Amino acid sequence: MSPTNYPEKPLRKAIFPVAGFGTRFLPATKSVPKEMLTVVDRPVIHYAVQEAIDAGCDTLIFITGRSKRAIEDYFDRSPELEAELEAKGKTEALDIVRNILPSHVRCFYVRQPQALGLGHAVLCAADMISSDESFAVVLPDDLIDSRPCGVLSQMQAVHERTGQAVIAVEQVAQQDVSKYGILKTDGWMGGALPIRGIVEKPRSEDAPSNWGVIGRYILPARVMELLKDQVPGAGGEIQLTDAIARCLPHHEFVGLPISGKRFDCGSMNGFLEANMHFGMQRVAQGAAL
Ligand code: G1P
């Protein structure tokens, strides 16, 4: 059977797996979720959420765990703070706290009871995805400064035009292939790489290419179905990559190379670089820091 791209509803739902512990940032992450650590003036998760909203998503599904309450509070209204700012006439600050999310956007929080892997985290949102819609998965650790629009918007444009599932990719150093999902591809098609296979964290000598998956996906609902009986893979975890691999015979997938600079905010170096990069940008724009 050749892969088909069935008619799609517009992309509206984005899943943010945010249940991880963030042990690399201890002691800060003992009480603050790693997604709430700030790059310049806003938490890392805010950048990911903004990127999804810019791509047209209005339903944000956070897969959370214990001690992640700060994320819910951040995206919720804060009547006491607003009243206080209003009373003091601090209109600029009031605008900032009121406009963290546009009014048409809704947030949902689903607890992942056990850390069984990225595939399992995504599966926790299964009840919120209908069988005829694609959904986005955004991994907030990958923070990407991309012009003229966000990476998910670029992926959404390809998805809307072709009905294909789209995964963001970047060429990674050969010694780093074992840290990523890696594509098997056979050349270019319309600026994207048709995906013929995908493997999670292969050994360098087994890697089918050095095109690494970056944390942005637009996936068909069938992937969610496949996750339901996905057996553990690399690292003993239920891997999203493995469910995608099983979906390849049924749906066309392409890898879209990211245009822009990526920061791995899951690592201390990447996080510090992101702060310097966005901080310098703010200075260049003449903003008071
Ligand atoms: C996850 C995915 C992997 C992908 C990576 C991108 O791995 O499983 O395929 O390449 O995100 O950041 P993790 O970094 O969570 O181990």
Side-chain angles (χ1 to χ4, degrees), residues 119-130:
H120 179 258
V122 171
L123 179 61
C124 290
D127 288 345
M128 302 198 60
I129 306 295
S130 62

Side-chain angles (χ1 to χ4, degrees), residues 76-88 90 93-94 96-98 100:
D76 199 2
R77 293 293 291 265
S78 177
E80 304 83 1
L81 176 61
E82 289 178 26
E84 172 91 4
L85 293 172
E86 198 156 22
K88 292 195 168 148
K90 296 191 169 174
L94 187 59
I96 291 172
V97 297
R98 277 194 178 149
I100 285 179

